[in-house]
Structures are given as structure tokens and as C-alpha cells.
Amino acid sequence: MIALSLAEIASVVGGQTYDIPDPQVRVTGPVVIDSRKVESGSLFAAFAGERVDGHDYARDVVEKGAAAVLAARPVGVPAIVVEDVQAALGALARHVVARLGATLVALTGSAGKTSTKDLIAQVLQRKAPTVFTPGSFNNEIGLPLTALSATDETRFLVLEMGARGKGHIQYLTGLTPPKVGVVLNVGTAHIGEFGGREQIAEAKGELVEALPAEGTAILNADDPLVRAMASRTKAKVLLFGEAAEAAVRAENVRLTENGQPAFSLRTPSGCSEVTLRLYGEHHVSNALAAAAVAHDLGMSVEEIAVALSEAGTLSRWRMEVTERSDGVTIVNDAYNANPESMRAALRALVAMGKGRRTWAVLGHMAELGDESLAEHDAVGRLAVRLNVSKLVAVGGREASWLQLGAYNEGSWGEESVHVSDAQAAVDLLRSELRPGDVVLVKASRSVGLESVAQALIEGGVDAR
Ligand SMILES: Nc1ncnc2c1ncn2[C@@H]1O[C@H](COP(=O)(O)OP(=O)(O)OP(=O)(O)O)[C@@H](O)[C@H]1O
Ligand SMILES: [Mg+2]
């Protein structure tokens, strides 16, 4: 974080100082909420979670070098005490960001935020120092923590914004007002909580409403609900996609024999060839969004194409490909799943598995509300239509819907199977996998299906 005195922080957050011998002491280290991440000069924000209360670690973090604790009550060590720690963290982030000389880029969408954010960061980094959301820290706590990790050198701050309902993005843009705002897609993630796609579009569009007139709204031309957001912003609109009217476009899109997308990237500055190191055609759209941001921030098409072609996966369990020594390929996409990402991953599996046996080990997609049965059924059917060799549906009721969908689409007997849990899936795969097979593992986060991928990679390890 940029160095600030405890007195200044207290004034920004409207807090009371307690047990602080010298209010001019400065916070120079990172602002953290995990006591294990405290460094000398840190500010530790104490949150009371379900199982642990950060306030219990106050003494410990100060011994480890923290300058003070941001707390909801006095804790017997240097502390800035506020009524609401989350609101204080947000206020501090807003203050710090306003002092930075950085351009803020924010992105949202139903699927692909983290993948795209990692691409944007890897492209912009080539131009100037860039700070970006680690992993998927896209909520009211992760976002201010990321913003606070920027320094005076930071030129680009790239922030993932997540939403589970109306007003969430508006809250986040209030903390860190973006100049460039990207909306990737409106799918069905969290549709149960939102109520429908229109409601999701309503909520995601809050991002472009927050942009200033001199900013840029970067919108997916291929997604009608996103494209329609052009009318909700004062900012200049830049479209990306495969549609002909998109200013940043992919032409001649194909998958290489490894399942990696290749395309001609066209921006208003020219045309250049890209081959991604990432797997799955869905990354074309993500790469175009990143290219549009980079173009808007002054990079040439050649620079962008090279950066995209060299960009790797920064966040785990997203189409993470491991080649086993016996020639079995494991594709671990167990970070999360929704209907769009399931479809994209199945298509990638089939592309990677040309001429080989393909296995889709799939689990429950969470938070689909009334759509749940139909969506699980549809994914099961798609696996058959794409000619995946074998579907292994893992888990309870929703998994049985997946399997039933496949069965009804014309997969009988051996081609699809329903197993009760991760261990049963591992047992089955261990006995049936043959050299050359490709295995996709994917489900919602709560299923924890990465244990299956891990067990298959590590051989003898128990998945339980
Ligand atoms: N453009 C896309 N369309 C559909 N699926 C995608 C797209 N990009 C990535 N995915 C898939 O969606 C899943 C989640 O990807 P990612 O973590 O990038 O998304 P996210 O929007 O950050 O998710 P979260 O809401 O959990 O933060 C992965 O399985 C990934 O393969
Ligand atoms: Mg994410």
C-alpha cells in the first residue's frame, strides 16, 4: 500500500485510535485479513467469521510486526476502532485509489472473469506496472484488499467484480471507480439468486453506468444482453467479438490439434496472428476482451498478439492440463461450473481428444434455482451429442439428472454412469482409464471435484 500514517487512516475511516503510542507511525506493508499474511508495517483488518474471529489474533499480528489492527472493538494492542470493519476497508480503498496515478480497469460477467482478468493483466504488464486481483477475490472484501495493494508505481489496476444480486457492482464501483469497464457475458451463474437473465443483465450493467464520459465501456458484441448495455453508459463504447461490427475482432477462429485456440486478431490498429496457450474456444472471447482493453490503453495489435500468445494460466483449476507419464491427459476445470462453462469445457475436451477416448467427469452445477433440472439434463444431452466417449456423473440428485439427460439422448449402458461420490469416481477411473485417454473434471466449487483430478494425477492418493 502507499504509506499512510495511522492518524491519517483513522481520519479516513472515521475511527478512534486505541493503544497507539505514536499516531504518526506509518502503515507501509500490505493490508491483510489473514493473520498468516502479516508482514512488518501491515495493517490487519479483523473480521469476525463463522469459525474464527480476527480480533483473537490482534496480539499475535502486532508481535509479527503489524503497525495496527483495524477492529470493531479495542483489542489491547494498537488499533483503529470502527463500527463496521468492512465499510472502513472500503473507505480506505476509495481514498487510496483516488491518490494513485493508476488507470482502473474493472470487469464483470457470468463466466470467465478470472481467466480474462489474468489475460488483461499479462498484456498490460508489458506496457507498465500492473496490479490485479489475485485469484477470484472479487467481492466487497477482496476488491478493496486488491486496490490497497497498489503502490505509487502502479499504472494499471485491474479489478474483477463479482455480483450475486442488484447493487453489488454499484457498491464495488463506488469503492474503486473504473475508467475502463468490461462486461463479458450474461449467463446463468447464480441465476437462482438473481431471478432471471434480465435481472443478471440489470446487475452487471451497473458497471458501465459507473463509467465517466471520458471512459470506455468494453462490451461483448456477440452477447445481445451485453451489447444492449451500450445505452446505459456515458462512456465511449468499444465492441469485441466475432460479430462483424466489433472493432476488436477474431477472424478465422480454429482450434489447434492440442485444443488451443488460434485466430487472426483485428483491432483498429491492424491485424496479427494469435495462438493461445490456454485450452478451449471460450478463451477466444476472453482474449478479445483483453485485446480491447489493451487497444484502448494504447497498445498496438502486434504487441497485444504477442502478449496474448505468451500468456499462461495464473489461477488454478481452470482447464489445468496435466499429461501423465502413461499418456493419459487430465483436464482439471474443477474450479467452478455453470451451464455455459460446462458447454465450453465439453467442446474443449472433444477438440483435445480427437482420435482418443474422452471422459467427462461432471458434478452438480449450483445455484440454478428452477432451471436446475433442465440445465443438468441439457449438459448430459450435450455430452452425448458431442460424442464424448463416457460421462461419469458424480454426486447426488443433480448428478442423476446429468446422467439421465445423457441416457435419454441415446447413451445406453456403458456410455454414461452415475456414481455417488468423488472416491467412487476415482475407483472407477483407476480401473478403466487406458493410455491416451483424456479426462475432463468439472463441477461447481462446492463439490470439490479437484480431489478427483488430484488423485488421478498423483496415482495412489486417496480422494477422500
Ligand atoms: N467466456 C467464457 N464462456 C464460458 N465459460 C468460460 C468462459 N471463460 C471461462 N469459462 C469457464 O468458466 C469457469 C470459470 O472461469 P473463471 O474462473 O475465469 O470465471 P469467473 O467468472 O471468474 O468465475 P467466478 O464467478 O467463480 O469468479 C471455468 O470453468 C472456465 O473454463
Ligand atoms: Mg472469478
Side-chain angles (χ1 to χ4, degrees):
M1 169 166 120
I2 56 174
L4 293 177
S5 72
L6 294 176
E8 190 173 2
I9 294 173
S11 134
V12 167
V13 302
Q16 289 261 13
T17 54
Y18 280 82
D19 308 300
I20 293 181
D22 178 5
Q24 293 317 312
V25 163
R26 297 199 307 168
V27 170
T28 50
V31 181
V32 297
I33 58 167
D34 180 340
S35 62
R36 290 164 299 188
K37 304 225 166 102
V38 163
E39 293 170 24
S40 166
S42 275
L43 178 68
F44 174 70
F47 280 92
E50 273 169 32
R51 274 166 301 166
V52 288
D53 183 349
H55 294 85
D56 297 340
Y57 294 83
R59 195 161 292 281
D60 182 39
V61 298
V62 169
E63 270 166 25
K64 275 164 82 183
V69 180
L70 183 62
R73 55 176 187 270
V75 279
V77 291
I80 297 167
V81 175
V82 292
E83 238 169 66
D84 180 341
V85 175
Q86 183 192 307
L89 195 64
L92 187 59
R94 191 181 312 127
H95 175 81
V96 164
V97 155
R99 284 187 33 174
L100 292 173
T103 299
L104 266 66
V105 178
L107 77 160
T108 193
S110 293
K113 295 182 290 299
T114 297
S115 310
T116 306
K117 174 265 301 172
D118 288 345
L119 285 174
I120 295 174
Q122 289 177 83
V123 176
L124 294 185
Q125 242 160 13
R126 297 190 170 228
K127 189 171 158 74
T130 302
V131 166
F132 57 101
T133 305
S136 202
F137 279 23
N138 63 23
N139 66 11
E140 59 284 357
I141 296 173
L143 177 110
L145 287 177
T146 305
L148 288 166
S149 70
T151 66
D152 284 326
E153 281 79 56
T154 306
R155 286 293 155 267
F156 299 119
L157 181 55
V158 183
L159 298 165
E160 174 173 338
M161 294 189 173
R164 296 176 150 258
K166 249 187 156 164
H168 291 188
I169 301 273
Q170 192 188 19
Y171 176 79
L172 299 176
T173 56
L175 303 185
T176 54
K179 175 147 185 276
V180 179
V182 186
V183 186
L184 297 174
N185 45 51
V186 171
T188 43
H190 310 304
I191 198 163
E193 285 156 62
F194 277 104
R197 283 172 85 104
E198 282 67 29
Q199 281 79 358
I200 298 178
E202 191 61 36
K204 304 275 179 209
E206 290 167 14
L207 179 55
V208 299
E209 284 174 352
L211 296 171
E214 64 280 13
T216 310
I218 295 186
L219 298 174
N220 186 349
D222 301 332
D223 184 324
L225 286 174
V226 174
R227 200 177 171 151
M229 290 176 195
S231 65
R232 291 170 64 185
T233 187
K234 305 188 279 294
K236 170 181 84 191
V237 171
L238 181 60
L239 295 177
F240 69 89
E242 291 180 42
E245 357 17 327
V248 175
R249 215 161 54 238
E251 291 166 357
N252 189 20
V253 177
R254 62 227 178 254
L255 286 182
T256 67
E257 54 193 26
N258 302 329
Q260 291 165 313
F263 58 94
S264 310
L265 170 67
R266 189 171 287 282
T267 76
S269 90
C271 188
S272 198
E273 292 305 307
V274 174
T275 303
L276 295 177
R277 283 171 55 200
L278 310 175
Y279 294 87
E281 208 170 330
H282 52 294
H283 283 304
V284 174
S285 176
N286 300 342
L288 290 176
V293 172
H295 167 75
D296 189 57
L297 295 173
M299 291 177 73
S300 73
V301 71
E302 290 82 13
E303 282 177 297
I304 299 170
V306 168
L308 286 174
S309 300
E310 290 178 4
T313 335
L314 300 184
S315 302
R316 297 214 62 193
W317 305 337
R318 290 166 180 83
M319 299 298 280
E320 202 174 293
V321 176
T322 307
E323 302 289 349
R324 263 179 18 182
S325 55
D326 63 353
V328 169
T329 305
I330 312 289
V331 184
N332 181 356
D333 200 31
Y335 172 73
N336 218 340
N338 58 52
E340 291 76 30
S341 73
M342 276 289 196
R343 286 192 267 280
L346 283 173
R347 279 196 284 272
L349 169 69
V350 170
M352 294 170 74
K354 239 180 228 141
R356 303 162 71 179
R357 287 204 312 175
T358 50
W359 295 73
V361 182
L362 307 182
H364 173 192
M365 296 176 284
E367 297 168 340
L368 292 175
D370 294 342
E371 309 285 321
S372 188
L373 194 154
E375 292 290 3
H376 284 90
D377 180 76
V379 167
R381 287 174 191 273
L382 182 66
V384 176
R385 271 186 220 154
L386 289 173
N387 218 5
V388 170
S389 316
K390 189 144 176 169
L391 170 71
V392 181
V394 189
R397 195 173 51 148
E398 290 81 1
S400 71
W401 294 338
L402 276 170
Q403 197 260 331
L404 208 60
Y407 180 83
N408 288 336
E409 187 66 23
S411 148
W412 320 286
E414 298 289 287
E415 286 180 331
S416 67
V417 48
H418 176 208
V419 296
S420 58
D421 59 18
Q423 186 60 48
V426 171
D427 292 342
L428 174 84
L429 289 158
R430 284 219 179 109
S431 68
E432 298 210 6
L433 282 181
R434 293 204 304 255
D437 287 359
V438 190
V439 188
L440 166 73
V441 181
K442 184 167 177 73
S444 269
R445 185 82 295 276
S446 54
V447 185
L449 222 51
E450 66 278 1
S451 66
V452 171
Q454 223 84 46
L456 294 177
I457 291 164
E458 288 161 12
V461 180
D462 198 303
R464 265 178 289 225

